[in-house]
Amino acid sequence: MREQKITLGEMRSSGPHRLLVYCSDYKCAHSVMIDAAPWPDDVRLSDLEPKFTCKAYGHRGADVRPSFAVPNAVAAGERAA
């Protein structure tokens, strides 16, 4: 059994609202960043992992993590010159 990860509510309370989803096959380097909005706060990241399928090779399962990346400079509070 896989370790239970944090809930989306816990993740959102610490800042991130997007997820990094990595293919579970260690030989595959595919990943995608997605919005976590479709799922409620009580869903655990580990609950989502078996639901993903790699679009490149069809592998079932994923490693799902919070994305702490800033999408662009405006989101970070910076202004374009």
Side-chain angles (χ1 to χ4, degrees):
M1 182 174 173
R2 289 187 81 153
E3 178 183 339
Q4 283 193 343
K5 295 185 177 180
I6 63 171
T7 66
L8 290 172
E10 292 167 333
M11 179 191 81
R12 290 175 182 131
S13 71
S14 67
H17 290 269
R18 300 185 328 160
L19 299 169
L20 287 171
V21 182
Y22 298 94
C23 180
S24 64
D25 186 339
Y26 73 93
K27 294 180 266 180
C28 180
H30 291 98
S31 64
V32 66
M33 187 177 302
I34 62 171
D35 188 11
W39 296 283
D41 285 345
D42 64 332
V43 173
R44 292 188 176 279
L45 299 182
S46 50
D47 295 339
L48 295 174
E49 291 178 336
K51 299 177 187 266
F52 288 98
T53 301
C54 180
K55 288 193 174 194
Y57 294 104
H59 298 287
R60 189 93 169 132
D63 181 20
V64 179
R65 300 173 183 214
S67 172
F68 291 93
V70 177
N72 57 42
V74 176
E78 298 176 9
R79 294 177 190 239

